Amino acid sequence: MTTSSGSRRITRGDVEAVLQAFGGGGRAVLFHSKTAEGAPADFFGSHGSIRPFAGSPWDGAHFCAEDWHVILIGDIEGGDGSFQHGDAERIMNGLDVSFTLDGAALPTTRTAIKRFVNPEQLGLQVAYYFQQGQIMSPADLSIGSHQLDVTVVDASGQQSFQDGITFVIDPPGTGACA
C-alpha cells in the first residue's frame, strides 16, 4: 500500500487530531463525510497514522518523507450498560505500552481515557478508549525501511499483546511523495 495525500501534505495538526480524536468524533466525521480530508481520524495512513498491526495495510506501506506521521496504538475497553469510566480506568491504567522503532525504545504519550463513539460496532453497549503514540516530524523518520514493534503488558505483568510491521519512508518526488 502506498499512502499519499496527493498535493496536500500531512501536517502536524493532522496527526495531532488523529492521536486525540480517533475513537470519538473524529471517527464519526471520517465515516459520515463524503470526503476524508480534514477528518480528525485516519483510514490506513491517509492522515499520517502508522499502526503496528502485522498483515494490515500499514504493514509494508510506503509513506512520504515530507509528511508528519503519528506512530500509535489504541485500546478500547467496554461492556454492558453498567460499564463505567472507572472500570475502564482500572483496566487501562494497568497497561504498559512500549514501542520500538528500528530496535530503539520510542518514547510515547498517552491520551486521556475518553468515551468511544458507536461501541455497538464492537458488540459493546458502553466503551472507552485511549491512544498512545508519538508524533513524528518529517525529520524524525529517515528515508528507507523501518521496523516498528509494540508490546503491551497488563497489570499482572503478563504480556497481553505484541505485534510489529515494516514500513517505508519514500524520498520527495517518488512513491508516496509523488
Side-chain angles (χ1 to χ4, degrees):
M1 174 183 86
T2 298
T3 61
S4 175
S5 59
S7 62
R8 183 182 173 278
R9 298 280 40 112
I10 299 170
T11 67
R12 180 182 180 103
D14 292 332
V15 296
E16 285 177 349
V18 169
L19 179 63
Q20 293 295 329
F22 168 77
R27 191 165 185 220
V29 169
L30 180 65
F31 288 122
H32 296 292
S33 175
K34 291 183 180 168
T35 177
E37 188 170 323
D42 200 341
F43 185 73
F44 300 127
S46 62
H47 288 86
S49 74
I50 303 174
R51 296 181 186 266
F53 302 130
S56 74
W58 288 285
D59 196 0
H62 287 246
F63 298 92
C64 180
E66 298 175 314
D67 289 336
W68 285 74
H69 298 92
V70 59
I71 292 173
L72 76 164
I73 190 171
D75 181 63
I76 302 169
E77 302 291 342
D80 63 20
S82 68
F83 193 84
Q84 301 287 316
H85 189 271
D87 299 319
E89 282 182 329
R90 278 189 291 285
I91 296 166
M92 294 173 169
N93 287 341
L95 298 178
D96 179 28
V97 179
S98 60
F99 288 87
T100 60
L101 179 62
D102 299 327
L106 181 68
T108 60
T109 59
R110 185 180 285 194
T111 65
I113 296 170
K114 304 172 191 174
R115 187 83 180 240
F116 185 81
V117 177
N118 298 324
E120 300 82 15
Q121 294 175 338
L122 304 173
L124 303 167
Q125 292 178 358
V126 177
Y128 296 88
Y129 79 100
F130 73 80
Q131 294 205 110
Q132 186 164 330
Q134 176 65 34
I135 292 173
M136 309 295 283
S137 77
D140 291 334
L141 291 169
S142 62
I143 292 168
S145 182
H146 296 275
Q147 178 66 41
L148 175 64
D149 295 294
V150 65
T151 302
V152 180
V153 176
D154 65 23
S156 71
Q158 296 295 313
Q159 180 178 305
S160 61
F161 181 77
Q162 185 174 24
D163 211 342
I165 62 167
T166 299
F167 65 93
V168 178
I169 300 297
D170 291 334
T174 68
C177 297

